[in-house]
Amino acid sequence: MLEDSETLTIRLSADDNVVVARRNIAGDTRVVSEGVTAVDGVPQGHKLATKAIAANEPVRKYNQIIGFATRPIAAGEHVHEHNCAVQEFARDYDFCADVRPVPFVGDGAQRNFAGYRRANGRVGTRNYIGVLTSVNCSATVARFIADAFNRSGMLDDYPNIDGVVSFVHGTGCGMASSGEGFENFQRTLWGYASHPNFAGILMIGLGCEVFQIPRLMETYGLSDTDSFQTMTIQASGGTRKSIEAGVERIKAMLPAANACKREDAPASELTLALQCGGSDGYSGITANPALGAAADLLVRNGGTAILSETPEIYGAEHLLTRRAVNRQVGEKLIERIHWWEDYTRRNGGEMNNNPSPGNKLGGLTTILEKSLGAAAKGGTMPLSGVYLYGEPIDTKGFVFMDSPGYDPCSITGQVASGANVVCFTTGRGSVFGYKPSPSIKLATNSLMYENMSEDMDINCGPIAEGAVSVEEKGAEIFEKILAVASGTPSKSEELGFGDNEFVPWQIGAVM
Amino acid sequence: MLEDSETLTIRLSADDNVVVARRNIAGDTRVVSEGVTAVDGVPQGHKLATKAIAANEPVRKYNQIIGFATRPIAAGEHVHEHNCAVQEFARDYDFCADVRPVPFVGDGAQRNFAGYRRANGRVGTRNYIGVLTSVNCSATVARFIADAFNRSGMLDDYPNIDGVVSFVHGTGCGMASSGEGFENFQRTLWGYASHPNFAGILMIGLGCEVFQIPRLMETYGLSDTDSFQTMTIQASGGTRKSIEAGVERIKAMLPAANACKREDAPASELTLALQCGGSDGYSGITANPALGAAADLLVRNGGTAILSETPEIYGAEHLLTRRAVNRQVGEKLIERIHWWEDYTRRNGGEMNNNPSPGNKLGGLTTILEKSLGAAAKGGTMPLSGVYLYGEPIDTKGFVFMDSPGYDPCSITGQVASGANVVCFTTGRGSVFGYKPSPSIKLATNSLMYENMSEDMDINCGPIAEGAVSVEEKGAEIFEKILAVASGTPSKSEELGFGDNEFVPWQIGAVM
Ligand SMILES: [Ca+2]
Ligand SMILES: [Ca+2]
Ligand SMILES: [Ca+2]
Ligand SMILES: [Ca+2]
Ligand SMILES: [Ca+2]
């Protein structure tokens, strides 16, 4: 019998009945950490049963059901297509079946961070002044206004202001004036205008665009205030006069913005955007579950974690409906799934997140397991709400916000929904950064981390190397979230990212 | 009998049988300039017959058919819905029926401009170095590379270089890897990469995006050269190293780029993008027909003028098919019209460019007349080609390139197709500017021109005031085109526009 080290397998949850092979495990190898002996060979990335699983019993990974035994499986057996499948389960939403109460941390054990408490009671993690645009036609004017502050030293006397940031984009006209696309965009702009990471907002339009600022203000009952100003270029007499007027309006906001100070706030005021981009074979076994552990810690502290990227959880929606706190929440998710089926169909495509032959060679057995690799960053807490893209999140806990998987587009929606900090897992190496909410990047593997260490905040590769557990890495990520939320710059902030990644989700014909 | 001034009406073409009232004309008023007496009252903006029109005879405005007399119309009569309609004509494409030979200007009379002659024989009007991005994920790195040159004085020793420009956008991933959306984007990037207004190109990707730079290069048979370089952030080891490497690669391009000099080139090397944005009731009677007259002058000099904005010519496509040089060209246009009907339908909308009640009150009688108001900027020459969005234009003369009406999106396609100068008519007051091709803005009315004169290059309002004819204003625009093409900065260039208006047309689901 071969002897193992302690590091032969990765356990993704204490309650799982399978573990993942860190490297190829030969038959008859003793897996000491799990107290089992491999029956047959288990290739790297594939699953090994840690206890006997009876026929039709669930196979659990990430403490979630990834399939059912199609025949009795012995402890130590390789678990894959030959003995595990999804069967009828995939059609049963079984709303709320898996809801367990959130194990909130006890009184006095809750963690705090240092944030900016706003007049409306929300807490920011940064203190920017935002220049929002209703249409591409006001993009250059908005850029010039922001540049006037950031490149002139004009902010030197206002050390508590993180900067003046312009948010420009390619839409706002040549679009329908109602319907899904319009509503997505309207929610996004309003979500930014009301985001707690801003001490002040200037919103600039051209004047004749489809997306009318006065209509936005009427919809949300807004009026111009000291910290919320609107203007159009046409009413201001052109480019130069608009820049001058915009600079004056922001100058008037600086003293009040600079008077904002960080103060202690409970971690329950954090809303964390969960995101992955440039995934690889390690994403589902290192960075995503570690981020899930961090999300669980945040939720147990009373905070909020937003899972999104609907196409990437497709096929595993019934695992989320089982965690839904009530039937209505579960049904809203299913409604979104059906919407996506229609959205892709009318655009000549289809939803399909089934494991590819390559996925299967790598050890992914079922669509549930594949989608759970993405969803693992959501952790294991009950699903307390489902939201449209950019819809304001009005509950605490683990929630879902509908979006594409495309990183800048998805995060734009998450931030509009209220995320004040972002965690981003990447295997191939994304250099993503964002404003106004800081983004923490989590590498899935050490090779990429070493190659792109200047861009990566945390290396989750050691999980695959057996040097650290998912729980330990999750705790490290949680500490990093609190530190960055309190003002420590993330890597992407040090590098100056965040001025070019505002990408509202466009739906519908460009006219 | 009332007496008129010479300025009571606007004649849009010498061959028209109607003119437009500059202001309300009372019955029995003598219109001296046209040698007729108004029979009944003609409201401002409405049409007056300048000669008798028999029943079923065409009513001509812009030297185009806008409808047919539904009963005999006397000289001096008000022409509107009560005596003019489109009838069956609207269904008859009548390919090539109205083609008349281009009256080319004679030998020795052709106009020249001073341009940059490139190795491939094309001629540029500006001398930029372009930093193109395959995906939003490389946007910030591209910005930083361009900033390193433009804000450092590094270009001071290279006076012939107009600047280093980054082109960032919101797509390139989260998209299908084939189909219309992909092909639009691929044509656009390649159109920029090969544009004569660039002396050098650096193309930057992240590495794992859907839009793969190596695939682009394979598709077009490209390889890295001294003036065309490609790189990815992932292969370069992250943000800082990518910026350093990108800056070095562009530094190496500077001496050769600076060696490019303007030299005499015939106006036939100009490709003019025709565009309107923020239209008003004057667009169709002042700036658009004046731009059409300039386009005719350019075509008569052997040059190319691109009409676009398909939704705005909808319903008048058979006026363009009648001008098509051959049946194939006409049929390609009709194929695009049908594509748009499907595109809007599958996105829950419909094509409809019919005159609204407000349009009719303002004097627009038929859909032909309304669409011709937009198409008037295309002039009257034969239609020598129809192109997809961003498709390379491989013929001279008046051509059509399919695009939305949305300004930045349409112009992005026109520039990708080869436009090296842009003329943009605006009534409400757009402050649009573009790179790498300069944009000349034409005001439709004097009120807006006075209000936004710092943004407007030419005021076409005097046409409505009777101070200048359409032909005279067209000649003035043509001279401006030659001057700007030769290096005179347009208003938007003086103001620094063009870094935020690159908006490739996205089609399809965002995934
Ligand atoms: Ca992803
Ligand atoms: Ca399912
Ligand atoms: Ca993503
Ligand atoms: Ca238009
Ligand atoms: Ca337009």
Side-chain angles (χ1 to χ4, degrees):
Chain A
M1 190 174 77
L2 300 164
E3 197 59 37
D4 77 334
S5 77
E6 293 266 317
T7 64
L8 260 183
T9 58
I10 305 170
R11 169 165 285 280
L12 293 163
S13 170
D15 294 338
D16 291 352
N17 55 13
V18 295
V19 291
V20 176
R22 294 186 205 280
R23 45 188 168 84
N24 293 336
I25 300 177
D28 210 29
T29 302
R30 181 72 188 164
V31 180
V32 172
S33 56
E34 297 292 344
V36 293
T37 300
V39 174
D40 37 8
V42 181
Q44 181 183 3
H46 285 233
K47 295 173 292 297
L48 174 141
T50 56
K51 54 180 85 165
I53 307 173
N56 300 316
E57 204 183 321
V59 175
R60 297 190 81 93
K61 182 181 170 186
Y62 308 110
N63 196 17
Q64 309 277 347
I65 297 168
I66 61 158
F68 294 84
T70 52
R71 58 167 178 74
I73 301 175
E77 255 194 273
H78 178 207
V79 178
H80 203 23
E81 292 182 278
H82 60 291
N83 56 14
C84 174
V86 166
Q87 299 171 323
E88 289 306 294
F89 174 79
R91 298 201 198 105
D92 183 1
Y93 296 136
D94 223 347
F95 296 107
C96 319
D98 286 349
V99 173
R100 284 163 296 177
V102 174
F104 287 108
V105 297
D107 278 352
Q110 295 106 332
R111 301 297 302 277
N112 282 348
F113 74 105
Y116 296 93
R117 202 171 279 281
R118 304 298 180 191
N120 64 3
R122 294 169 68 186
V123 179
T125 62
R126 293 293 182 271
N127 196 43
Y128 287 108
I129 290 179
V131 184
L132 298 176
T133 54
S134 56
V135 65
N136 179 265
C137 308
S138 55
T140 289
V141 166
R143 289 287 196 215
F144 283 154
I145 291 171
D147 283 356
F149 290 91
N150 299 323
R151 301 188 194 266
S152 65
M154 224 189 282
L155 293 179
D156 290 352
D157 295 337
Y158 302 98
N160 293 338
I161 300 175
D162 288 316
V164 179
V165 193
S166 56
F167 294 87
V168 310
H169 55 84
T171 185
C173 204
M175 68 195 296
S177 60
S178 63
E180 290 165 345
F182 184 88
E183 286 163 14
N184 261 1
F185 187 62
Q186 180 169 265
R187 282 195 304 270
T188 302
L189 272 198
W190 169 236
Y192 275 69
S194 57
H195 198 283
N197 282 8
F198 292 117
I201 291 286
L202 175 65
M203 192 177 284
I204 304 184
L206 174 60
C208 58
E209 60 271 26
V210 166
F211 191 89
Q212 286 287 302
I213 293 176
R215 185 175 157 195
L216 174 81
M217 296 177 73
E218 196 183 303
T219 301
Y220 291 104
L222 312 176
S223 53
D224 278 26
T225 66
D226 289 349
S227 60
F228 180 79
Q229 292 273 307
T230 64
M231 56 184 281
T232 71
I233 296 168
Q234 285 168 352
S236 305
T239 299
R240 189 186 55 79
K241 291 175 189 165
S242 297
I243 295 169
E244 279 182 14
V247 167
E248 288 309 311
R249 294 201 198 190
I250 289 179
K251 268 188 189 166
M253 296 180 191
L254 297 180
N258 192 58
C260 299
K261 299 276 190 310
R262 288 191 186 270
E263 52 187 274
D264 262 9
S268 59
E269 297 293 347
L270 289 177
T271 300
L272 173 64
L274 305 163
Q275 187 71 204
C276 72
S279 300
D280 69 356
Y282 290 99
S283 299
I285 53 174
T286 62
N288 285 1
L291 178 52
D296 280 356
L297 286 173
L298 178 59
V299 170
R300 293 180 56 207
N301 273 273
T304 305
I306 313 173
L307 185 69
S308 294
E309 306 178 286
T310 316
E312 295 174 21
I313 61 107
Y314 188 73
E317 58 272 14
H318 36 292
L319 293 169
L320 290 169
T321 55
R322 291 171 70 99
R323 289 161 68 186
V325 292
N326 58 49
R327 186 176 185 98
Q328 198 184 356
V329 163
E331 282 177 344
K332 189 165 178 190
L333 181 68
I334 300 310
E335 188 274 322
R336 285 291 87 197
I337 294 290
H338 291 154
W339 182 91
W340 269 90
E341 287 168 342
D342 179 63
Y343 174 58
T344 48
R345 193 183 305 119
R346 71 187 190 238
N347 281 290
E350 60 166 340
M351 295 293 279
N352 176 11
N353 199 28
N354 284 305
S356 64
N359 288 153
K360 289 187 178 176
L361 272 178
L364 295 181
T365 305
T366 66
I367 189 170
L368 300 185
E369 185 179 10
K370 183 181 175 191
S371 290
L372 277 168
K377 56 190 180 295
T380 60
M381 296 293 124
L383 177 69
S384 51
V386 171
Y387 296 88
L388 298 176
Y389 184 84
E391 190 177 12
I393 285 169
D394 57 3
T395 186
K396 301 283 189 181
F398 169 63
V399 301
F400 188 86
M401 184 209 78
D402 182 34
S403 85
Y406 183 41
D407 309 332
C409 177
S410 180
I411 295 179
T412 295
Q414 292 175 315
V415 170
S417 280
N420 50 14
V421 60
V422 177
C423 275
F424 189 117
T425 70
T426 181
R428 303 287 300 276
S430 167
V431 296
F432 189 87
Y434 213 80
K435 289 175 184 170
S437 298
S439 179
I440 298 164
K441 285 204 298 300
L442 312 174
T444 71
N445 69 85
S446 296
L447 188 67
M448 187 278 284
Y449 177 82
E450 297 304 334
N451 188 36
M452 300 181 73
S453 57
E454 294 174 342
D455 289 276
M456 297 297 138
D457 294 278
I458 288 181
N459 180 17
C460 298
I463 295 170
E465 295 142 24
V468 64
S469 72
V470 165
E471 288 69 29
E472 287 165 331
K473 191 53 75 173
E476 179 187 344
I477 295 168
F478 184 59
E479 294 303 319
K480 178 61 105 176
I481 291 169
L482 295 175
V484 168
S486 302
T488 303
S490 71
K491 288 287 178 81
S492 61
E493 287 183 297
E494 283 173 351
L495 288 163
F497 279 85
D499 292 290
N500 304 292
E501 291 79 10
F502 179 68
V503 180
W505 183 12
Q506 283 179 251
I507 298 176
V510 182
M511 293 294 288
Chain B
M1 192 173 76
L2 300 164
E3 197 60 40
D4 77 336
S5 79
E6 293 265 316
T7 64
L8 260 184
T9 57
I10 306 169
R11 169 165 286 282
L12 293 163
S13 171
D15 294 338
D16 291 350
N17 52 14
V18 296
V19 292
V20 176
R22 292 188 205 280
R23 44 187 168 85
N24 293 335
I25 300 177
D28 211 30
T29 303
R30 181 75 186 160
V31 180
V32 172
S33 55
E34 297 293 343
V36 293
T37 300
V39 174
D40 37 8
V42 181
Q44 180 181 3
H46 284 234
K47 294 173 293 296
L48 175 142
T50 56
K51 54 179 85 163
I53 307 172
N56 301 316
E57 204 183 317
V59 175
R60 297 191 81 94
K61 181 180 170 186
Y62 308 110
N63 196 14
Q64 308 279 344
I65 297 168
I66 61 158
F68 295 85
T70 53
R71 58 168 180 74
I73 301 174
E77 254 194 277
H78 178 205
V79 177
H80 203 23
E81 292 182 279
H82 61 290
N83 56 14
C84 174
V86 167
Q87 298 169 326
E88 289 307 293
F89 173 78
R91 298 201 199 102
D92 184 1
Y93 296 135
D94 222 347
F95 296 107
C96 319
D98 286 349
V99 173
R100 286 163 297 180
V102 174
F104 287 108
V105 297
D107 277 353
Q110 294 106 332
R111 302 296 301 276
N112 282 351
F113 73 107
Y116 296 94
R117 202 171 280 280
R118 305 298 180 190
N120 63 3
R122 294 168 68 185
V123 179
T125 62
R126 293 292 180 271
N127 195 43
Y128 286 108
I129 289 180
V131 184
L132 298 176
T133 53
S134 56
V135 64
N136 178 265
C137 308
S138 55
T140 290
V141 165
R143 288 287 196 213
F144 284 153
I145 291 170
D147 283 355
F149 290 91
N150 299 324
R151 301 186 192 267
S152 65
M154 223 190 281
L155 293 179
D156 290 352
D157 295 337
Y158 303 98
N160 293 339
I161 300 176
D162 288 315
V164 179
V165 194
S166 56
F167 295 88
V168 309
H169 54 83
T171 186
C173 202
M175 68 195 297
S177 59
S178 64
E180 290 165 345
F182 184 89
E183 284 162 15
N184 261 0
F185 186 62
Q186 180 169 268
R187 282 195 304 270
T188 302
L189 272 198
W190 170 236
Y192 275 68
S194 57
H195 198 283
N197 282 9
F198 293 116
I201 290 285
L202 174 65
M203 191 176 285
I204 304 184
L206 174 61
C208 58
E209 61 270 25
V210 166
F211 192 88
Q212 286 287 302
I213 293 176
R215 185 174 157 195
L216 174 82
M217 296 178 72
E218 195 183 304
T219 301
Y220 292 103
L222 312 176
S223 52
D224 278 25
T225 67
D226 288 348
S227 61
F228 180 78
Q229 292 273 307
T230 64
M231 55 184 280
T232 71
I233 296 168
Q234 286 168 351
S236 304
T239 300
R240 189 185 55 79
K241 290 176 190 166
S242 296
I243 295 169
E244 279 183 15
V247 167
E248 287 309 312
R249 295 201 198 190
I250 289 180
K251 268 188 190 167
M253 296 180 191
L254 297 180
N258 193 58
C260 299
K261 299 275 189 310
R262 288 190 185 271
E263 52 187 273
D264 262 8
S268 60
E269 296 294 347
L270 289 177
T271 301
L272 173 64
L274 306 162
Q275 187 72 205
C276 72
S279 300
D280 69 357
Y282 291 98
S283 300
I285 55 175
T286 62
N288 286 0
L291 178 52
D296 280 356
L297 287 173
L298 179 60
V299 170
R300 294 179 55 207
N301 273 274
T304 304
I306 312 172
L307 184 68
S308 295
E309 309 177 282
T310 315
E312 295 174 18
I313 61 107
Y314 188 74
E317 59 271 13
H318 37 290
L319 292 168
L320 290 168
T321 55
R322 291 169 71 99
R323 289 161 68 185
V325 293
N326 59 49
R327 186 178 185 97
Q328 196 183 359
V329 163
E331 283 178 343
K332 189 165 178 190
L333 180 68
I334 300 309
E335 188 273 321
R336 285 290 87 196
I337 294 288
H338 292 155
W339 182 91
W340 269 89
E341 288 167 343
D342 178 63
Y343 174 57
T344 49
R345 194 184 304 120
R346 71 188 190 236
N347 282 288
E350 59 166 342
M351 294 294 279
N352 175 12
N353 200 28
N354 284 305
S356 64
N359 287 153
K360 290 188 176 174
L361 271 179
L364 295 181
T365 304
T366 66
I367 189 170
L368 300 185
E369 184 178 11
K370 183 180 176 192
S371 290
L372 276 168
K377 56 191 180 293
T380 60
M381 295 293 125
L383 177 69
S384 51
V386 172
Y387 296 87
L388 298 178
Y389 184 84
E391 191 177 10
I393 285 169
D394 57 2
T395 184
K396 302 279 189 184
F398 169 63
V399 301
F400 188 86
M401 184 209 77
D402 182 34
S403 84
Y406 182 41
D407 309 332
C409 176
S410 180
I411 296 178
T412 295
Q414 290 174 317
V415 170
S417 279
N420 51 14
V421 61
V422 178
C423 276
F424 189 116
T425 70
T426 181
R428 304 287 299 279
S430 168
V431 295
F432 189 88
Y434 214 79
K435 289 176 182 168
S437 297
S439 178
I440 298 165
K441 284 202 299 300
L442 312 175
T444 70
N445 68 86
S446 295
L447 187 67
M448 186 278 285
Y449 178 81
E450 297 305 334
N451 187 37
M452 299 180 70
S453 57
E454 294 175 342
D455 290 276
M456 297 297 137
D457 293 278
I458 287 182
N459 180 17
C460 298
I463 295 170
E465 296 141 24
V468 64
S469 72
V470 166
E471 288 67 28
E472 287 164 331
K473 190 55 75 173
E476 179 187 343
I477 295 169
F478 184 59
E479 294 303 321
K480 176 62 106 177
I481 291 169
L482 295 175
V484 168
S486 301
T488 303
S490 70
K491 289 286 179 83
S492 61
E493 286 183 296
E494 283 174 349
L495 287 163
F497 278 84
D499 292 290
N500 304 291
E501 291 79 10
F502 179 68
V503 180
W505 183 11
Q506 283 181 252
I507 298 176
V510 182
M511 293 294 287

